[in-house]
Amino acid sequence: MDYFQYLRKEHMPHIWCPGCGHGIVAKSILRALDKMEVEKDNVVVVSGIGCSSRTPGYLDFNTLHTTHGRALPFATGIKLANPELLVIVVSGDGDATAIGGNHFIHSCRRNIDIKLIVFNNNIYGMTGGQFSPTTPTGSRGTTAPYGNIEHSFDVCNMAQAAGASYVGRCLDIDALAMDRIILGAVKHKGFSVVDAWSQCTTYFGRQNKSGSATKMMQQYKELTYNVRLAGKLTDEEKAGKYPIGELYKADLPEFCTEYDKLVERVAVA
Ligand SMILES: Cc1ncc(C[n+]2csc(CCOP(=O)(O)OP(=O)(O)O)c2C)c(N)n1
Ligand code: SF4
């Protein structure tokens, strides 16, 4: 596949540090869109603010770089105005679950046909490594120099509980599995959430003495298990670990479709 057809070469070089996982997730989104064979003009990629949220700037689709945490409201407006568009939101864990947390749960609840890809590096990368709602308890951040005492959100559990109809988790160490999950999310009609783990070597890695990017990726693997093998593992083996793969998929009423039905019903009356 020729990635350059989807990239704005004039915006290169990108800002991501060596070892950052964000480029891996961005490329997986491009492979999914390439497989979908969708016209570039029919795709919109929206983001908030953060290292991950720089992604739309590099992609040659209709793109919108909005304010921190507010990508989903912008995306909701775009999708409602033109439901034919394929709308993807790219977000960091801080962007999606802290400042944008309320938009996250209500987008799930509405089940609007938007695909939210959370580039989850367990930290605020862009602003220098403050802890986020997904920073594991005990891990360090610049605002948790002695270790985080808060409990972290499980992005997937939160998405499913709030009403998202496609939920998946994947790791940047396994790009093929990431491709399957992101493609599944993009193809699904309804609100899709992908918790894509992507290491921040510069802030999370350094503060937590995690070692190289490859070591961090390996640690992700050790913290997870394949959901397809869940039945074969004991509770002890799964304790403290996160399932990866396609975790939930349901055919639920979608917001734009319901909205159209409402307009038709009211117009007739
Ligand atoms: C309203 C507002 N509050 C705070 C900021 C500062 N800010 C910019 S990016 C960011 C954190 C980004 O972290 P995350 O969303 O996890 O993405 P990452 O950089 O790790 O990819 C913050 C707090 C801002 N730009 N606007
Ligand atoms: S600061 Fe962290 S998240 Fe931001 S580009 Fe560097 S490694 Fe990636």
Side-chain angles (χ1 to χ4, degrees):
M1 180 196 133
D2 171 21
Y3 290 102
F4 286 102
Q5 64 183 306
Y6 300 117
L7 292 176
R8 294 180 176 143
K9 284 169 244 153
E10 66 277 18
H11 287 200
M12 299 290 157
H14 58 71
I15 62 153
W16 296 320
C17 308
C20 178
H22 288 352
I24 299 175
V25 189
K27 283 176 81 178
S28 187
I29 294 173
L30 291 183
R31 287 192 292 274
L33 291 173
D34 191 68
K35 277 221 169 84
M36 296 280 289
E37 293 182 355
V38 52
E39 285 285 316
K40 282 206 288 193
D41 269 352
N42 292 335
V43 177
V44 188
V45 188
V46 187
S47 75
I49 303 290
C51 297
S52 40
S53 289
R54 284 296 187 102
T55 304
Y58 305 131
L59 306 186
D60 192 24
F61 300 100
N62 301 290
T63 58
L64 206 57
H65 188 209
T66 72
T67 51
H68 191 38
R70 311 297 175 212
L72 281 167
F74 282 88
T76 298
I78 294 165
K79 185 72 189 178
L80 263 179
N82 189 349
E84 299 307 314
L85 295 171
L86 171 54
V87 182
I88 298 176
V89 170
V90 165
S91 203
D93 42 289
D95 194 75
T97 67
I99 191 167
N102 216 12
H103 300 306
F104 177 102
I105 56 174
H106 292 290
S107 302
C108 292
R109 183 174 62 83
R110 288 186 195 114
N111 193 36
I112 185 162
D113 186 27
I114 291 173
K115 295 90 187 47
L116 170 66
I117 316 294
V118 183
F119 291 41
N120 187 356
N121 56 15
N122 310 115
I123 206 144
Y124 287 3
M126 178 161 267
T127 41
Q130 297 83 4
F131 73 90
S132 86
T134 67
T135 303
T137 310
S139 294
R140 289 170 198 264
T142 47
T143 45
Y146 306 109
N148 175 26
I149 57 167
E150 296 185 8
H151 296 289
S152 55
F153 275 146
D154 178 324
V155 172
C156 293
N157 283 352
M158 200 160 73
Q160 188 179 339
S165 53
Y166 183 98
V167 180
R169 180 182 286 119
C170 48
L171 314 179
D172 59 358
I173 193 172
D174 190 348
L176 291 179
M178 182 173 275
D179 283 4
R180 277 196 300 279
I181 300 303
I182 292 186
L183 182 63
V186 172
K187 277 185 170 167
H188 179 75
K189 180 151 170 115
F191 194 67
S192 303
V193 178
V194 177
D195 181 21
W197 288 15
S198 159
Q199 70 285 339
C200 170
T201 41
T202 299
Y203 290 111
F204 190 95
R206 276 195 201 157
Q207 292 184 87
N208 290 286
K209 299 190 172 35
S210 313
S212 64
T214 43
K215 276 202 178 135
M216 291 182 79
M217 291 163 117
Q218 198 55 44
Q219 285 155 16
Y220 283 170
K221 209 162 169 72
E222 285 154 17
L223 265 175
T224 52
Y225 62 89
N226 189 324
V227 69
R228 288 197 215 140
L229 304 177
K232 292 189 182 143
L233 300 173
T234 63
D235 287 347
E236 245 171 37
E237 285 168 322
K238 288 185 280 192
K241 295 190 175 179
Y242 293 79
I244 47 173
E246 191 176 281
L247 305 182
Y248 180 71
K249 192 174 171 181
D251 189 11
L252 300 176
E254 191 275 325
F255 185 71
C256 296
T257 312
E258 296 307 304
Y259 188 82
D260 282 348
K261 283 190 209 162
L262 174 81
V263 170
E264 206 171 305
R265 185 155 49 85
V266 173
V268 169

